[in-house]
mmCIF file of all heavy atoms in Angstrom:
data_model
loop_
_atom_site.group_PDB
_atom_site.id
_atom_site.type_symbol
_atom_site.label_atom_id
_atom_site.label_comp_id
_atom_site.label_asym_id
_atom_site.label_seq_id
_atom_site.Cartn_x
_atom_site.Cartn_y
_atom_site.Cartn_z
ATOM 1 N N SER A 1225 -29.901 -0.526 16.281
ATOM 2 C CA SER A 1225 -29.444 0.438 15.327
ATOM 3 C C SER A 1225 -27.924 0.568 15.158
ATOM 4 O O SER A 1225 -27.486 1.117 14.163
ATOM 5 C CB SER A 1225 -29.971 1.813 15.672
ATOM 6 O OG SER A 1225 -29.584 2.357 16.940
ATOM 7 N N TYR A 1226 -27.185 -0.108 16.066
ATOM 8 C CA TYR A 1226 -25.727 -0.140 15.908
ATOM 9 C C TYR A 1226 -25.329 -1.149 14.847
ATOM 10 O O TYR A 1226 -24.216 -1.145 14.371
ATOM 11 C CB TYR A 1226 -25.124 -0.573 17.255
ATOM 12 C CG TYR A 1226 -24.862 0.491 18.247
ATOM 13 C CD1 TYR A 1226 -25.926 1.009 18.884
ATOM 14 C CD2 TYR A 1226 -23.559 0.983 18.653
ATOM 15 C CE1 TYR A 1226 -25.827 2.010 19.867
ATOM 16 C CE2 TYR A 1226 -23.373 1.920 19.521
ATOM 17 C CZ TYR A 1226 -24.506 2.474 20.174
ATOM 18 O OH TYR A 1226 -24.397 3.452 21.196
ATOM 19 N N LEU A 1227 -26.304 -2.062 14.518
ATOM 20 C CA LEU A 1227 -25.918 -3.108 13.542
ATOM 21 C C LEU A 1227 -25.528 -2.592 12.100
ATOM 22 O O LEU A 1227 -25.005 -3.359 11.296
ATOM 23 C CB LEU A 1227 -27.103 -4.191 13.449
ATOM 24 C CG LEU A 1227 -27.318 -4.870 14.697
ATOM 25 C CD1 LEU A 1227 -28.569 -5.832 14.454
ATOM 26 C CD2 LEU A 1227 -26.171 -5.687 15.177
ATOM 27 N N HIS A 1228 -25.971 -1.405 11.914
ATOM 28 C CA HIS A 1228 -25.642 -0.764 10.617
ATOM 29 C C HIS A 1228 -24.312 -0.021 10.485
ATOM 30 O O HIS A 1228 -23.979 0.542 9.409
ATOM 31 C CB HIS A 1228 -26.794 0.143 10.130
ATOM 32 C CG HIS A 1228 -28.205 -0.542 10.168
ATOM 33 N ND1 HIS A 1228 -28.493 -1.305 9.145
ATOM 34 C CD2 HIS A 1228 -29.162 -0.632 11.133
ATOM 35 C CE1 HIS A 1228 -29.777 -1.804 9.518
ATOM 36 N NE2 HIS A 1228 -30.073 -1.326 10.681
ATOM 37 N N LEU A 1229 -23.574 0.003 11.588
ATOM 38 C CA LEU A 1229 -22.205 0.634 11.531
ATOM 39 C C LEU A 1229 -21.335 -0.064 10.469
ATOM 40 O O LEU A 1229 -21.486 -1.263 10.295
ATOM 41 C CB LEU A 1229 -21.630 0.464 12.897
ATOM 42 C CG LEU A 1229 -22.150 1.453 14.027
ATOM 43 C CD1 LEU A 1229 -21.593 1.064 15.411
ATOM 44 C CD2 LEU A 1229 -21.750 2.818 13.713
ATOM 45 N N PRO A 1230 -20.405 0.717 9.919
ATOM 46 C CA PRO A 1230 -19.551 0.200 8.992
ATOM 47 C C PRO A 1230 -18.542 -0.909 9.666
ATOM 48 O O PRO A 1230 -18.288 -0.721 10.822
ATOM 49 C CB PRO A 1230 -18.609 1.416 8.581
ATOM 50 C CG PRO A 1230 -19.464 2.668 8.958
ATOM 51 C CD PRO A 1230 -20.301 2.141 10.163
ATOM 52 N N SER A 1231 -18.305 -1.837 8.986
ATOM 53 C CA SER A 1231 -17.301 -2.794 9.222
ATOM 54 C C SER A 1231 -15.982 -2.686 8.391
ATOM 55 O O SER A 1231 -16.180 -1.762 7.452
ATOM 56 C CB SER A 1231 -17.802 -4.314 9.123
ATOM 57 O OG SER A 1231 -18.184 -4.543 7.916
ATOM 58 N N ILE A 1232 -14.914 -3.174 8.667
ATOM 59 C CA ILE A 1232 -13.665 -2.985 7.943
ATOM 60 C C ILE A 1232 -13.071 -4.327 7.338
ATOM 61 O O ILE A 1232 -12.789 -4.284 6.160
ATOM 62 C CB ILE A 1232 -12.598 -2.217 8.813
ATOM 63 C CG1 ILE A 1232 -13.076 -0.807 9.153
ATOM 64 C CG2 ILE A 1232 -11.349 -2.121 8.021
ATOM 65 C CD1 ILE A 1232 -12.320 -0.128 10.127
ATOM 66 N N HIS A 1233 -12.975 -5.293 8.221
ATOM 67 C CA HIS A 1233 -12.273 -6.508 7.863
ATOM 68 C C HIS A 1233 -12.980 -7.341 6.826
ATOM 69 O O HIS A 1233 -14.127 -7.784 6.936
ATOM 70 C CB HIS A 1233 -12.033 -7.368 9.104
ATOM 71 C CG HIS A 1233 -11.544 -6.564 10.263
ATOM 72 N ND1 HIS A 1233 -11.974 -6.844 11.459
ATOM 73 C CD2 HIS A 1233 -10.573 -5.492 10.368
ATOM 74 C CE1 HIS A 1233 -11.303 -5.965 12.328
ATOM 75 N NE2 HIS A 1233 -10.501 -5.182 11.563
ATOM 76 N N ASN A 1234 -12.313 -7.444 5.592
ATOM 77 C CA ASN A 1234 -12.800 -8.278 4.512
ATOM 78 C C ASN A 1234 -14.287 -8.087 4.223
ATOM 79 O O ASN A 1234 -15.131 -9.012 4.097
ATOM 80 C CB ASN A 1234 -12.577 -9.743 4.862
ATOM 81 C CG ASN A 1234 -11.024 -10.060 5.053
ATOM 82 O OD1 ASN A 1234 -10.583 -10.000 6.182
ATOM 83 N ND2 ASN A 1234 -10.418 -10.402 3.986
ATOM 84 N N ARG A 1235 -14.619 -6.810 4.211
ATOM 85 C CA ARG A 1235 -16.083 -6.361 4.134
ATOM 86 C C ARG A 1235 -16.568 -6.448 2.668
ATOM 87 O O ARG A 1235 -17.884 -6.782 2.483
ATOM 88 C CB ARG A 1235 -16.169 -5.017 4.684
ATOM 89 C CG ARG A 1235 -17.598 -4.413 4.616
ATOM 90 C CD ARG A 1235 -17.717 -2.898 5.131
ATOM 91 N NE ARG A 1235 -17.041 -2.077 4.261
ATOM 92 C CZ ARG A 1235 -17.459 -1.589 3.084
ATOM 93 N NH1 ARG A 1235 -18.614 -1.923 2.719
ATOM 94 N NH2 ARG A 1235 -16.765 -0.631 2.379
ATOM 95 N N VAL A 1236 -15.838 -6.124 1.682
ATOM 96 C CA VAL A 1236 -16.478 -6.008 0.389
ATOM 97 C C VAL A 1236 -16.182 -7.334 -0.464
ATOM 98 O O VAL A 1236 -15.157 -7.548 -1.007
ATOM 99 C CB VAL A 1236 -15.822 -4.833 -0.408
ATOM 100 C CG1 VAL A 1236 -16.414 -4.602 -1.771
ATOM 101 C CG2 VAL A 1236 -15.807 -3.577 0.488
ATOM 102 N N GLY A 1237 -17.211 -8.160 -0.420
ATOM 103 C CA GLY A 1237 -17.147 -9.465 -1.056
ATOM 104 C C GLY A 1237 -16.090 -10.331 -0.627
ATOM 105 O O GLY A 1237 -15.647 -11.157 -1.345
ATOM 106 N N GLY A 1238 -15.680 -10.141 0.594
ATOM 107 C CA GLY A 1238 -14.669 -11.065 1.233
ATOM 108 C C GLY A 1238 -13.302 -10.339 1.186
ATOM 109 O O GLY A 1238 -12.313 -10.890 1.714
ATOM 110 N N ASP A 1239 -13.250 -9.175 0.602
ATOM 111 C CA ASP A 1239 -11.982 -8.465 0.705
ATOM 112 C C ASP A 1239 -11.984 -7.112 1.420
ATOM 113 O O ASP A 1239 -12.988 -6.509 1.684
ATOM 114 C CB ASP A 1239 -11.623 -8.139 -0.795
ATOM 115 C CG ASP A 1239 -11.358 -9.354 -1.655
ATOM 116 O OD1 ASP A 1239 -10.296 -10.052 -1.426
ATOM 117 O OD2 ASP A 1239 -12.134 -9.717 -2.533
ATOM 118 N N PHE A 1240 -10.766 -6.621 1.741
ATOM 119 C CA PHE A 1240 -10.616 -5.342 2.211
ATOM 120 C C PHE A 1240 -10.920 -4.356 1.091
ATOM 121 O O PHE A 1240 -10.679 -4.551 -0.081
ATOM 122 C CB PHE A 1240 -9.224 -5.038 2.796
ATOM 123 C CG PHE A 1240 -8.853 -5.733 4.087
ATOM 124 C CD1 PHE A 1240 -8.012 -6.762 4.115
ATOM 125 C CD2 PHE A 1240 -9.433 -5.189 5.245
ATOM 126 C CE1 PHE A 1240 -7.702 -7.352 5.266
ATOM 127 C CE2 PHE A 1240 -9.070 -5.887 6.465
ATOM 128 C CZ PHE A 1240 -8.283 -6.917 6.513
ATOM 129 N N LEU A 1241 -11.566 -3.168 1.563
ATOM 130 C CA LEU A 1241 -11.788 -2.145 0.472
ATOM 131 C C LEU A 1241 -10.506 -1.655 -0.138
ATOM 132 O O LEU A 1241 -10.502 -1.294 -1.289
ATOM 133 C CB LEU A 1241 -12.565 -0.971 1.092
ATOM 134 C CG LEU A 1241 -12.919 0.263 0.212
ATOM 135 C CD1 LEU A 1241 -13.816 -0.248 -0.876
ATOM 136 C CD2 LEU A 1241 -13.637 1.355 0.953
ATOM 137 N N ASP A 1242 -9.406 -1.699 0.584
ATOM 138 C CA ASP A 1242 -8.127 -1.220 0.090
ATOM 139 C C ASP A 1242 -7.700 -1.986 -1.209
ATOM 140 O O ASP A 1242 -6.858 -1.603 -1.917
ATOM 141 C CB ASP A 1242 -7.003 -1.379 1.130
ATOM 142 C CG ASP A 1242 -7.118 -0.329 2.154
ATOM 143 O OD1 ASP A 1242 -8.226 -0.011 2.684
ATOM 144 O OD2 ASP A 1242 -6.085 0.268 2.503
ATOM 145 N N ALA A 1243 -8.298 -3.246 -1.403
ATOM 146 C CA ALA A 1243 -7.935 -4.052 -2.543
ATOM 147 C C ALA A 1243 -8.785 -3.385 -3.791
ATOM 148 O O ALA A 1243 -8.505 -3.839 -4.945
ATOM 149 C CB ALA A 1243 -8.371 -5.449 -2.353
ATOM 150 N N GLY A 1244 -9.682 -2.505 -3.421
ATOM 151 C CA GLY A 1244 -10.214 -1.781 -4.529
ATOM 152 C C GLY A 1244 -9.509 -0.425 -4.900
ATOM 153 O O GLY A 1244 -9.882 0.311 -5.726
ATOM 154 N N ALA A 1245 -8.459 -0.180 -4.010
ATOM 155 C CA ALA A 1245 -7.612 0.984 -4.340
ATOM 156 C C ALA A 1245 -6.196 0.437 -4.747
ATOM 157 O O ALA A 1245 -6.224 -0.552 -5.370
ATOM 158 C CB ALA A 1245 -7.466 1.771 -2.997
ATOM 159 N N ASP A 1246 -5.207 1.063 -4.498
ATOM 160 C CA ASP A 1246 -3.899 0.670 -4.936
ATOM 161 C C ASP A 1246 -3.045 0.147 -3.898
ATOM 162 O O ASP A 1246 -1.802 -0.166 -4.138
ATOM 163 C CB ASP A 1246 -3.122 1.904 -5.701
ATOM 164 C CG ASP A 1246 -2.946 3.025 -4.725
ATOM 165 O OD1 ASP A 1246 -3.568 3.114 -3.614
ATOM 166 O OD2 ASP A 1246 -2.236 4.009 -5.114
ATOM 167 N N ASP A 1247 -3.471 -0.218 -2.743
ATOM 168 C CA ASP A 1247 -2.748 -0.816 -1.558
ATOM 169 C C ASP A 1247 -2.835 -2.340 -1.695
ATOM 170 O O ASP A 1247 -1.894 -2.900 -0.895
ATOM 171 C CB ASP A 1247 -3.310 -0.336 -0.250
ATOM 172 C CG ASP A 1247 -2.781 1.149 0.030
ATOM 173 O OD1 ASP A 1247 -1.893 1.602 -0.756
ATOM 174 O OD2 ASP A 1247 -3.221 1.642 1.052
ATOM 175 N N ALA A 1248 -3.601 -2.845 -2.417
ATOM 176 C CA ALA A 1248 -3.716 -4.346 -2.370
ATOM 177 C C ALA A 1248 -4.600 -4.815 -3.561
ATOM 178 O O ALA A 1248 -5.203 -4.113 -4.209
ATOM 179 C CB ALA A 1248 -4.390 -4.915 -1.095
ATOM 180 N N ILE A 1249 -4.528 -6.148 -3.893
ATOM 181 C CA ILE A 1249 -5.489 -6.769 -4.775
ATOM 182 C C ILE A 1249 -5.971 -8.002 -4.190
ATOM 183 O O ILE A 1249 -5.377 -8.464 -3.147
ATOM 184 C CB ILE A 1249 -4.794 -7.136 -6.252
ATOM 185 C CG1 ILE A 1249 -3.704 -8.097 -6.040
ATOM 186 C CG2 ILE A 1249 -4.266 -5.759 -6.811
ATOM 187 C CD1 ILE A 1249 -3.118 -8.569 -7.377
ATOM 188 N N SER A 1250 -7.121 -8.370 -4.570
ATOM 189 C CA SER A 1250 -7.632 -9.727 -4.104
ATOM 190 C C SER A 1250 -6.798 -10.852 -4.649
ATOM 191 O O SER A 1250 -6.446 -10.860 -5.769
ATOM 192 C CB SER A 1250 -9.109 -9.851 -4.471
ATOM 193 O OG SER A 1250 -9.608 -11.105 -4.023
ATOM 194 N N SER A 1251 -6.615 -11.863 -3.694
ATOM 195 C CA SER A 1251 -5.921 -12.983 -4.141
ATOM 196 C C SER A 1251 -6.839 -13.872 -4.944
ATOM 197 O O SER A 1251 -6.448 -14.755 -5.682
ATOM 198 C CB SER A 1251 -5.366 -13.733 -2.948
ATOM 199 O OG SER A 1251 -4.444 -13.015 -2.174
ATOM 200 N N ASN A 1252 -8.164 -13.620 -4.858
ATOM 201 C CA ASN A 1252 -9.222 -14.475 -5.603
ATOM 202 C C ASN A 1252 -9.103 -13.826 -6.982
ATOM 203 O O ASN A 1252 -9.348 -12.731 -7.275
ATOM 204 C CB ASN A 1252 -10.629 -14.209 -4.937
ATOM 205 C CG ASN A 1252 -11.670 -15.120 -5.510
ATOM 206 O OD1 ASN A 1252 -11.524 -15.511 -6.649
ATOM 207 N ND2 ASN A 1252 -12.636 -15.266 -4.747
ATOM 208 N N THR A 1253 -8.976 -14.745 -8.026
ATOM 209 C CA THR A 1253 -8.703 -14.395 -9.426
ATOM 210 C C THR A 1253 -10.138 -14.301 -10.039
ATOM 211 O O THR A 1253 -10.077 -13.891 -11.295
ATOM 212 C CB THR A 1253 -7.803 -15.422 -10.072
ATOM 213 O OG1 THR A 1253 -8.433 -16.716 -9.943
ATOM 214 C CG2 THR A 1253 -6.412 -15.278 -9.495
ATOM 215 N N SER A 1254 -11.202 -14.547 -9.385
ATOM 216 C CA SER A 1254 -12.494 -14.416 -10.058
ATOM 217 C C SER A 1254 -12.793 -12.914 -10.128
ATOM 218 O O SER A 1254 -12.204 -12.047 -9.558
ATOM 219 C CB SER A 1254 -13.590 -15.146 -9.425
ATOM 220 O OG SER A 1254 -13.685 -14.732 -8.137
ATOM 221 N N ASN A 1255 -13.986 -12.626 -10.717
ATOM 222 C CA ASN A 1255 -14.538 -11.221 -10.862
ATOM 223 C C ASN A 1255 -15.120 -10.767 -9.573
ATOM 224 O O ASN A 1255 -16.288 -10.619 -9.440
ATOM 225 C CB ASN A 1255 -15.506 -11.271 -11.943
ATOM 226 C CG ASN A 1255 -15.911 -9.726 -12.328
ATOM 227 O OD1 ASN A 1255 -15.140 -8.821 -12.091
ATOM 228 N ND2 ASN A 1255 -17.147 -9.543 -12.884
ATOM 229 N N THR A 1256 -14.331 -10.467 -8.513
ATOM 230 C CA THR A 1256 -14.759 -10.070 -7.273
ATOM 231 C C THR A 1256 -15.172 -8.670 -7.323
ATOM 232 O O THR A 1256 -14.991 -7.886 -8.161
ATOM 233 C CB THR A 1256 -13.582 -10.203 -6.257
ATOM 234 O OG1 THR A 1256 -12.500 -9.322 -6.556
ATOM 235 C CG2 THR A 1256 -13.109 -11.681 -6.165
ATOM 236 N N SER A 1257 -15.912 -8.349 -6.124
ATOM 237 C CA SER A 1257 -16.390 -6.947 -6.045
ATOM 238 C C SER A 1257 -15.347 -5.970 -6.067
ATOM 239 O O SER A 1257 -15.431 -4.801 -6.705
ATOM 240 C CB SER A 1257 -17.131 -6.863 -4.627
ATOM 241 O OG SER A 1257 -18.306 -7.708 -4.664
ATOM 242 N N VAL A 1258 -14.141 -6.189 -5.359
ATOM 243 C CA VAL A 1258 -13.065 -5.165 -5.235
ATOM 244 C C VAL A 1258 -12.371 -5.097 -6.631
ATOM 245 O O VAL A 1258 -11.879 -4.071 -7.020
ATOM 246 C CB VAL A 1258 -12.114 -5.339 -4.077
ATOM 247 C CG1 VAL A 1258 -12.778 -5.166 -2.789
ATOM 248 C CG2 VAL A 1258 -11.568 -6.763 -4.187
ATOM 249 N N PHE A 1259 -12.429 -6.223 -7.358
ATOM 250 C CA PHE A 1259 -11.854 -6.199 -8.659
ATOM 251 C C PHE A 1259 -12.765 -5.227 -9.587
ATOM 252 O O PHE A 1259 -12.005 -4.458 -10.354
ATOM 253 C CB PHE A 1259 -11.819 -7.608 -9.295
ATOM 254 C CG PHE A 1259 -11.338 -7.684 -10.655
ATOM 255 C CD1 PHE A 1259 -9.924 -7.630 -11.034
ATOM 256 C CD2 PHE A 1259 -12.195 -7.640 -11.866
ATOM 257 C CE1 PHE A 1259 -9.421 -7.733 -12.364
ATOM 258 C CE2 PHE A 1259 -11.746 -7.743 -13.095
ATOM 259 C CZ PHE A 1259 -10.413 -7.598 -13.420
ATOM 260 N N GLN A 1260 -14.017 -5.276 -9.483
ATOM 261 C CA GLN A 1260 -14.738 -4.277 -10.286
ATOM 262 C C GLN A 1260 -14.543 -2.922 -9.798
ATOM 263 O O GLN A 1260 -14.536 -2.008 -10.686
ATOM 264 C CB GLN A 1260 -16.312 -4.733 -9.959
ATOM 265 C CG GLN A 1260 -16.694 -6.114 -10.497
ATOM 266 C CD GLN A 1260 -17.991 -6.553 -10.035
ATOM 267 O OE1 GLN A 1260 -18.882 -5.787 -9.680
ATOM 268 N NE2 GLN A 1260 -18.175 -7.760 -10.013
#
């Protein structure tokens, strides 16, 4: 049941969630999850 714990590193489609905020952007120029 621990397997459902949140992870942090490059979790959202290969990116940090912070790349969906204003602290970073994804270096991947495709339509990534954090870009959305």
Side-chain angles (χ1 to χ4, degrees):
S1225 60
Y1226 280 69
L1227 296 177
H1228 304 281
L1229 283 171
S1231 57
I1232 294 174
H1233 310 141
N1234 300 92
R1235 178 181 66 80
V1236 185
D1239 292 295
F1240 286 107
L1241 180 62
D1242 285 46
D1246 56 352
D1247 281 354
I1249 63 174
S1250 176
S1251 301
N1252 188 331
T1253 56
S1254 62
N1255 187 26
T1256 62
S1257 297
V1258 292
F1259 176 82
Q1260 295 169 24

